[in-house]
């Protein structure tokens, strides 16, 4: 008794919110083995047992299957509980808000391309942004984001995996269930550091048709020192493995390991490699291993990080390379962990948006069950027959239009239960309000409030205050992942030597999430118009502000170009200020007209001095008179 009393200690960790359920935390603080057999598999590390059980419990709430898990403790009576999908509705609602209306990859500086201040950096930024957006369309990025975000909101964690597909010649993006994700965290890490080794592991069930036993598959990404080149080979048991590549012996010298392409040895004997996205040589690279073990071969006390490699059967990729520590020629692990909330100091994992509301959901399920039972007695009331009847042995069944014939002194009494049903329904509404308050989802965010009660956009903004704080904190937790995703995509395209990416730098880019709340568009339009008229904001800022509230503007830069092309008053002012037709034409997006050649100037004949001309005329007149007199 003393042993169990001391063993029953309060466990406080990222998943201790579920300790109130005996199903999750027994006397030793461990999940029920029958309900969570996956968490107690021999290869699962002890530190991950509570995490995996929490994921399954949260998934059960999302799928209306808590009663099935509770039956392991409560028996068949647990199946009578009603679950009407409230947890799933909360997950879907929060997921839509944290994603926003749209998701766009942006590169700073790309908005300056095509303007009068265009330079090489702006053109490069626009080129990278265009390539990233084309990749997002091909890879169905919005759908991948939705898949990951729903896992992240519901379970507390989400995982992206990126890899180069040589067949499709593009970067592929996969989403993984966090229950398959096993990072090997350094004890000295604060939880935010990148792990040097990451495993994805899950069990494959027995396949009797193909005569395959139950197996375990593990995919490992390991950041380690660069080693000499390897190639496909076989071991003593003819098992495909990777073996070192040796040079031909010459001049009595034994064979030596061959370096990989582009590798060099520094003065200390270490192998270095210069990656396209780095200016300094690196000593590290990532090795990929994809192997399968038969569960029957895992006899010793091993976990996912210490599986016996001599029992592994290695997979082969599309190029025929054995995936046994295959050098990927990249110095980063292409795995992105997305926590739902900002982790506590020293923690790596996020917390589910349902974690703090689970007890309310349990109460709501019980109230819904009681309400369902009470509605049965209200629709089919309980009747009590008293007094003399015609036949004491007769059994009566009530129903619509049923008539009972009673003897002298007989009476029928009905038990009224509608009042109890009304109280239960009121209690259900109170529980829903409590759940919304705890989850920081106001009624207007859930769509359960009357829009008429908000007379202005300011009142709506005040009502959405808790939601704004919630989404701001959740997007802060995702900010790093939103920057890593386009960064890894650029690096993997360069590692794959795609022709469109050769010579391009890796620029800082970000996945930008759109607006998530309804907006008073008329008020925002008035605000933007006044600010633009007063000259306190630029046209670019005004257009983007309208784009954020849902105006049908697909491309802000293109919209600004269209506006400028019709801004004749502004063009006239620009002409007066600069006096340069080329600048004005560039502003309007047109070509300046050719200047006409000036006409040839025809000068009048030279005119003498007016006084001399007048004197000459007088002399000529006097001569004419003298001639006439002589005549």
């Amino acid at each position: 008794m003393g042993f169990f009393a001391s063993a029953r200690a309060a466990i406080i960790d990222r998943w201790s919110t579920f300790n109130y359920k005996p199903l999750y935390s027994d006397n030793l603080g461990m999940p029920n083995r029958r309900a969570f057999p996956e968490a107690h598999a021999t290869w699962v590390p002890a530190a991950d047992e509570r995490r995996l059980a929490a994921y399954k419990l949260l998934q059960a709430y999302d799928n209306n299957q808590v009663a099935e898990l509770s039956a392991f403790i409560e028996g068949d009576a647990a199946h009578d509980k009603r679950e009407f999908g409230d947890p799933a509705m909360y997950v879907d609602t929060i997921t839509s808000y944290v994603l926003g209306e749209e998701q766009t990859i942006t590169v700073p500086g790309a908005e300056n391309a095509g303007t009068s201040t265009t330079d090489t950096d702006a053109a490069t930024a626009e080129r990278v942004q265009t390539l990233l957006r084309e990749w997002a369309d091909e890879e169905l990025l919005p759908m991948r984001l939705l898949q990951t975000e729903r896992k992240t909101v519901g379970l507390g964690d989400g995982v992206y995996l990126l890899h180069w597909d040589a067949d499709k010649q593009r970067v592929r993006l996969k989403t993984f269930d966090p229950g398959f994700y096993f990072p090997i965290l350094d004890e000295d890490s604060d939880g935010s550091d990148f792990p040097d080794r990451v495993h994805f592991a899950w069990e494959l069930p027995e396949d009797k048709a193909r005569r395959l036993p139950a197996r375990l598959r593990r995919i490992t990404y390991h950041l380690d020192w660069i080693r000499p080149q390897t190639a496909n080979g076989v071991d003593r048991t003819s098992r495909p493995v990777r073996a070192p590549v040796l040079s031909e012996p010459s001049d009595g010298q034994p064979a030596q390991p061959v370096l990989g392409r582009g590798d060099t040895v520094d003065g200390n004997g270490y192998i270095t490699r210069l990656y396209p996205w780095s200016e300094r040589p690196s000593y590290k690279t990532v090795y990929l291993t994809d192997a399968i073990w038969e569960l029957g071969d895992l006899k010793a006390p091993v976990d996912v990080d210490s599986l016996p490699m001599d029992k592994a059967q290695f997979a082969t990729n599309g190029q025929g390379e054995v995936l046994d520590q295959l050098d990927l020629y990249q110095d980063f692990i292409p795995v992105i962990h997305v926590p739902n909330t900002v982790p506590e100091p020293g923690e790596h994992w996020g917390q589910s948006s349902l974690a703090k509301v689970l007890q309310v959901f349990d109460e709501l399920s019980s109230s819904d069950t009681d309400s369902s039972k009470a509605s049965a007695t209200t629709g089919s009331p309980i009747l009590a027959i008293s007094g003399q009847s015609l036949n004491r042995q007769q059994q009566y069944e009530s129903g619509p239009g049923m008539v009972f014939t009673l003897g002298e002194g007989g009476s029928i009494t009905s038990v009224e239960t509608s009042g109890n049903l009304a109280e239960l329904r009121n209690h259900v509404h109170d529980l829903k309000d409590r759940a919304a308050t705890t989850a920081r989802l106001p009624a207007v965010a859930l769509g359960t409030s009357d829009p008429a009660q908000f007379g202005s956009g300011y009142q709506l903004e005040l009502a959405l205050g808790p939601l704004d704080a919630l989404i701001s904190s959740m997007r802060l937790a995702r900010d790093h992942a939103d920057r890593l995703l386009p960064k890894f995509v650029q690096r993997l395209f360069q590692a794959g030597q795609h022709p469109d990416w050769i010579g391009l730098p890796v620029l800082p880019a970000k996945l930008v999430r759109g607006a998530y709340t309804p907006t008073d568009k008329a008020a925002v339009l008035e605000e933007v118009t006044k600010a633009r008229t007063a000259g306190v904001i630029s046209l670019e800022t005004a257009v983007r502000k309208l784009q954020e509230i849902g105006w049908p503007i697909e491309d802000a830069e293109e919209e600004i170009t269209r506006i400028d092309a019709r801004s004749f008053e502004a063009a006239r002012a620009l002409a007066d200020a600069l006096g340069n037709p080329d600048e004005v034409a560039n502003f309007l997006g047109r070509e300046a007209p050719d200047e006409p050649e000036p006409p040839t100037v025809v000068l009048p004949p030279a005119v003498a001095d007016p006084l001399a001309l007048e004197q000459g005329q007088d002399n000529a007149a006097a001569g004419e008179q003298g001639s006439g007199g002589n005549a």
Side-chain angles (χ1 to χ4, degrees):
M1 189 66 180
F3 170 77
F4 286 103
S6 61
R8 182 59 174 177
I11 299 178
I12 301 178
D13 57 12
R14 207 54 169 155
W15 304 278
S16 57
T17 313
F18 317 124
N19 286 349
Y20 76 96
K21 300 183 75 69
L23 178 72
Y24 181 78
S25 182
D26 59 12
N27 288 331
L28 299 177
M30 299 306 296
N32 186 279
R33 287 184 173 272
R34 292 190 301 158
F36 307 102
E38 305 86 355
H40 295 281
T42 56
W43 56 271
V44 173
D48 291 300
E49 292 181 3
R50 286 171 56 83
R51 176 174 68 93
L52 298 187
Y55 289 158
K56 184 174 182 179
L57 179 62
L58 290 166
Q59 194 67 48
Y61 274 94
D62 193 9
N63 294 340
N64 293 345
Q65 291 181 289
V66 179
E68 293 185 29
L69 290 181
S70 301
F72 288 100
I73 297 293
E74 303 174 12
D76 293 338
H79 293 289
D80 296 333
K81 291 185 177 181
R82 298 291 188 267
E83 299 177 72
F84 294 150
D86 292 282
M89 183 267 293
Y90 272 61
V91 171
D92 291 335
T93 301
I94 297 176
T95 300
S96 64
Y97 284 133
V98 77
L99 273 176
E101 294 182 355
E102 60 181 8
Q103 304 81 42
T104 308
I105 297 178
T106 61
V107 178
E111 66 275 7
N112 296 326
T115 65
S116 58
T117 59
T118 300
D119 55 17
T120 305
D121 293 339
T124 302
E126 192 216 5
R127 176 60 176 165
V128 171
Q129 179 176 273
T130 301
L131 291 174
L132 286 173
R133 291 181 177 180
E134 291 176 353
W135 167 82
D137 291 337
E138 293 178 354
E139 199 57 24
L140 305 176
L141 181 61
M143 184 186 71
R144 305 297 182 194
L145 291 175
L146 179 59
Q147 292 173 340
T148 303
E149 284 297 346
R150 205 180 188 287
K151 289 288 186 182
T152 306
V153 172
L155 304 183
D157 301 284
V159 182
Y160 294 110
L161 172 63
L162 298 103
H163 68 94
W164 173 253
D165 191 328
D167 295 332
K168 295 185 178 294
Q169 283 293 297
R170 76 167 185 263
V171 179
R172 303 302 306 276
L173 177 64
K174 292 185 177 180
T175 61
F176 270 89
D177 189 293
F180 300 157
Y181 172 61
F182 296 90
I184 307 303
L185 302 174
D186 189 355
E187 295 180 355
D188 298 330
S189 172
D190 65 351
S192 62
D193 296 334
F194 291 106
D196 291 338
R197 191 163 63 257
V198 171
H199 303 296
F200 292 96
W202 62 94
E203 291 188 8
L204 302 174
E206 180 182 3
D207 188 348
K208 295 183 179 180
R210 299 169 58 191
R211 297 181 180 180
L212 295 175
R215 294 152 293 154
L216 170 67
R217 183 181 179 184
R218 190 191 74 180
I219 301 174
T220 301
Y221 290 87
H222 186 195
L223 181 64
D224 203 359
W225 301 102
I226 299 176
R227 298 190 288 267
Q229 185 178 359
T230 60
N232 290 351
V234 294
D235 62 4
R236 297 178 179 179
T237 63
S238 298
R239 182 184 58 157
V241 295
R242 296 196 68 82
V245 177
L246 301 178
S247 62
E248 293 292 337
S250 62
D251 299 332
Q253 297 294 330
Q256 298 293 328
V258 176
L259 299 181
R261 64 177 187 271
D263 294 348
T264 58
V265 179
D266 66 2
N268 297 322
Y270 294 102
I271 303 176
T272 64
R273 181 180 300 164
L274 184 61
Y275 294 100
W277 50 84
S278 178
E279 297 179 354
R280 297 186 304 174
S282 175
Y283 294 89
K284 296 293 188 72
T285 188
V286 172
Y287 296 96
L288 171 63
T289 302
D290 187 353
I292 291 179
W293 288 262
E294 293 185 8
L295 292 181
D297 293 336
L298 306 180
K299 302 295 184 180
V302 296
D303 60 21
V304 70
D305 193 45
S306 60
L307 298 175
M309 301 307 297
D310 59 330
K311 301 290 185 180
Q313 296 295 326
F314 300 104
T316 304
N317 63 12
Q319 289 69 49
E321 296 174 308
V322 179
L323 301 182
D324 172 22
Q325 299 191 50
L326 175 66
D327 191 347
L328 296 182
Y329 280 83
Q330 60 194 50
D331 60 348
F332 62 97
I333 295 179
V335 176
I336 302 176
H337 169 241
V338 185
N340 185 51
T341 56
V342 177
E344 298 291 337
E347 287 284 345
H348 180 76
W349 309 102
Q351 188 178 60
S352 168
S353 295
L354 301 179
K356 297 180 180 179
V357 200
L358 287 188
Q359 293 194 47
V360 184
F361 285 146
D362 287 343
E363 292 289 337
L364 190 58
S365 176
S366 299
S367 298
D368 286 335
T369 303
D370 295 340
S371 179
S372 178
K373 293 179 179 179
S375 63
T377 60
T378 302
S380 300
I382 301 174
L383 302 178
I385 301 178
S386 61
Q388 299 293 327
S389 67
L390 298 178
N391 185 357
R392 296 181 180 276
Q393 303 299 324
Q394 183 178 357
Q395 300 293 326
Y396 297 96
E397 295 182 2
S398 64
M402 196 72 180
V403 178
F404 298 96
T405 303
L406 305 178
E408 182 180 355
S411 65
I412 297 179
T413 303
S414 174
V415 179
E416 179 63 36
T417 61
S418 59
N420 297 335
L421 179 59
E423 287 299 324
L424 284 172
R425 288 180 175 175
N426 291 334
H427 184 53
V428 168
H429 290 306
D430 292 341
L431 289 174
K432 288 185 177 182
D433 291 341
R434 173 65 66 85
T437 302
T438 304
R440 293 192 288 177
L441 282 176
V444 63
L446 291 171
T448 58
S449 63
D450 184 9
Q453 65 178 319
F454 303 106
S456 66
Y458 182 69
Q459 292 180 348
L460 178 62
E461 186 176 354
L462 290 178
L464 291 172
L467 178 66
D468 292 338
L470 171 67
I471 300 303
S472 295
S473 63
M474 295 178 69
R475 289 192 172 184
L476 176 62
R478 291 157 172 77
D479 183 73
H480 191 48
D482 290 345
R483 298 176 187 274
L484 279 182
L485 181 61
K487 179 180 179 180
F488 284 179
V489 171
Q490 295 178 72
R491 287 185 174 186
L492 288 173
F493 265 114
Q494 292 184 358
Q497 298 182 355
H498 193 281
D500 292 342
W501 289 85
I502 294 177
L504 291 177
V506 176
L507 297 179
K510 185 180 180 180
L511 176 68
V512 178
R513 301 164 187 258
Y516 58 89
T517 56
T519 308
D520 190 345
K521 294 185 178 181
V524 175
L525 176 60
E526 182 180 0
E527 177 186 356
V528 170
T529 302
K530 289 182 178 180
R532 181 74 186 110
T533 304
V536 296
I537 63 173
S538 65
L539 179 59
E540 289 79 5
T541 302
V543 171
R544 283 185 175 83
K545 187 69 175 178
L546 297 178
Q547 190 179 31
E548 290 175 358
I549 64 174
W551 279 56
I553 301 175
E554 296 182 359
D555 189 286
E557 289 78 12
E558 183 178 352
E559 189 70 19
I560 293 170
T561 302
R562 294 173 181 172
I563 295 173
D564 289 342
R566 295 168 175 84
S567 301
F568 300 111
E569 290 296 331
R572 185 177 294 108
L574 183 64
D576 295 339
L578 301 179
N580 188 338
D582 293 331
E583 290 286 348
V584 177
N586 186 34
F587 174 77
L588 294 174
R590 305 184 182 187
E591 294 184 2
D594 297 334
E595 290 288 342
E597 295 184 4
T600 304
V601 179
V602 179
L603 299 176
V607 179
D609 186 7
L611 295 177
L613 179 61
E614 183 179 355
Q615 184 177 2
Q617 291 176 350
D618 292 341
N619 293 333
E624 291 178 358
Q625 291 178 358
S627 301
N630 295 329

